[in-house]
Amino acid sequence: MLASAFLEDFRNGNYNQLLNDLYDDESLVAYQAKRYANAIEKFIRLFGDKEVSIFTAAGRSEVSGNHTDHQHGRVLAASINLDSIAIASKNDSGVIKVVSDDFNIAPIHVNELKVCKEEEGTSEALIRGVCKALASDGHTLGGFEAFITSDVLVGAGLSSSASFEVLIGTILSGLYNEAAIDMVEIAKASQYAENVYFGKPCGLMDQCACAVGGLITIDFQDPSKPVVKAVDADFSKYGYSLCITDTKGSHADLTHEYAAIPEEMKAVARYFGKDVLREVDPEEFNKHIPGVREAVSDRAVLRAIHFFNENERVAKIVNLLEEGDFDGFLNGIEASGNSSFKYLQNVYPSSDPTAQGVSVALALSENLLDETSGVSRVHGGGFAGTIQAFVPNDQVENYRQGMDAVFGDGSCHVLKIRAVGGKQLL
């Protein structure tokens, strides 16, 4: 269908029900209709009025399992109703040309997929890496033009890069592979791109949550075949909302802080002759803590303790949700946050201990929720960025105002968990 025809349909409200179903919030429908229309208009200005398809990839919120995935552990995560969308059209040049919001990404030819060291840390690296991974798995590649726009907050722990990677994979699946590539496979291709081409040693949780959709628990014991299971839980049924507050802290120059977590955890695993902590018997670890302290470091010991406790905690929290014990779930989330602060130590950077925006946000959140049963915790990779809170619905506006008063208007986002991760919409 021509881009201009889609544009008219969005302007006339013909896809309002689709948008309501996708974003699970009737109050967002008018905004999203205008957003899609604006994206189509931008595509037409950039590339002309062509046959197009429309794609989406969700942002994600980690609920529990903080820094467990890279040790082949368990996580609980959700796709959220902040997303990246693309208006895309096939071409026969073999060249991928993407404009992302106002950023003009250099063209990538699908036959030129070697790792480029000078591209490390760029969008070009992510596109090239996703292409390489999908091609290596036997999928068809081809050129396309796309305009991409994202509502996923950059640097806020909601996985803007993972959403972008998954979106590229979803476009290639839709345009050249009959939308048949499994979303977990697209997630693995996205992780490969980030690890090998982009240069960030991330696990697979972010990409899986952005790709699969809904509230899911993932067991990475065998990372080549992660076990992904939907969790049937409706937070609104319990009268709670998921709130994410952006503390506006920068992740710049923090790669070494993130990298130190898996490095130290793996150093503990190597003490026991293993590659990752999931392969280590927790009881054996407890018996040998004096030796581990001497061979590695005290912080590595604490981070290992966090992993062992958090990995078991995820399974318990999932069981509590499935049994309808929401109070038990909230207690588990609070314990997870406490463990991240005390043992994992990813709430502020050790390289700059005066920069404690996340710590301030957690303290403020605790005060605002003091008279309720709401809970909050560090969100995502940590060190800077966002906190997460489960807030009683009748306290959401007071909570939002309190957080915005410190971190700026629009810092606190009230989110929905959406059922769709990555998908060709139209």
Side-chain angles (χ1 to χ4, degrees), residues 125-417:
L126 296 177
I127 296 171
R128 206 182 298 274
V130 170
C131 287
K132 175 63 175 178
L134 292 179
S136 297
D137 287 341
H139 299 298
T140 301
L141 301 181
F144 62 83
E145 293 96 24
F147 174 70
I148 291 174
T149 184
S150 179
D151 272 354
V152 184
L153 305 174
V154 176
L158 299 173
S159 295
S160 56
S161 61
S163 180
F164 178 84
E165 298 150 13
V166 168
L167 188 60
I168 295 298
T170 305
I171 293 170
L172 288 166
S173 177
L175 295 184
Y176 288 100
N177 296 273
E178 300 180 339
I181 303 178
D182 180 75
M183 292 312 300
V184 173
E185 188 173 353
I186 288 176
K188 289 161 70 174
S190 300
Q191 183 205 22
Y192 172 83
E194 193 144 350
N195 289 173
V196 178
Y197 282 69
F198 190 83
K200 182 178 178 181
C202 68
L204 186 57
M205 185 268 289
D206 292 353
Q207 290 80 5
C208 261
C210 290
V212 174
L215 183 64
I216 57 173
T217 184
I218 313 167
D219 191 333
F220 292 108
Q221 186 162 23
D222 180 354
S224 67
K225 297 178 182 177
V227 178
V228 181
K229 176 188 172 187
V231 179
D232 185 15
D234 180 2
F235 293 148
S236 62
K237 181 176 72 173
Y238 300 103
Y240 278 77
S241 292
L242 171 62
C243 296
I244 300 291
T245 299
D246 182 6
T247 69
K248 311 294 175 63
S250 173
H251 288 81
D253 302 322
L254 291 178
T255 297
H256 67 289
E257 297 277 4
Y258 297 113
I261 293 176
E263 287 170 2
E264 291 179 10
M265 288 184 176
K266 288 177 180 178
V268 174
R270 287 194 296 271
Y271 179 89
F272 295 93
K274 307 295 183 181
D275 293 324
V276 293
L277 285 178
R278 184 67 180 270
E279 299 171 351
V280 176
D281 183 343
E283 292 187 7
E284 282 299 302
F285 166 77
N286 288 330
K287 290 177 185 177
H288 291 88
I289 284 178
V292 179
R293 289 182 65 198
E294 185 175 344
V296 190
S297 70
D298 285 344
R299 189 172 70 173
V301 167
L302 290 169
R303 285 174 164 171
I305 289 171
H306 166 81
F307 170 81
F308 290 124
N309 292 343
E310 186 80 343
N311 194 48
E312 291 303 312
R313 188 179 293 116
V314 169
K316 293 175 183 176
I317 286 174
V318 169
N319 288 337
L320 290 166
L321 277 175
E322 291 178 334
E323 293 168 358
D325 184 354
F326 199 73
D327 287 340
F329 162 78
L330 292 175
N331 290 336
I333 296 302
E334 185 173 38
S336 175
N338 287 340
S339 180
S340 291
F341 207 148
K342 292 191 295 185
Y343 307 138
L344 184 61
Q345 298 182 17
N346 69 331
V347 170
Y348 59 88
S350 59
S351 55
D352 185 8
T354 63
Q356 295 210 31
V358 173
S359 306
V360 171
L362 289 170
L364 176 62
S365 185
E366 193 170 284
N367 288 341
L368 289 168
L369 296 173
D370 186 48
E371 300 302 321
T372 76
S373 53
V375 298
S376 60
R377 50 157 295 161
V378 63
H379 183 254
F383 300 113
T386 57
I387 70 162
Q388 173 192 87
F390 291 92
V391 182
N393 287 340
D394 61 359
Q395 295 296 314
V396 165
E397 186 56 25
N398 179 65
Y399 182 83
R400 184 191 64 76
Q401 289 179 9
M403 301 306 284
D404 282 0
V406 173
F407 297 103
D409 288 344
S411 297
C412 182
H413 300 264
V414 183
L415 304 178
K416 300 278 189 179
I417 294 173

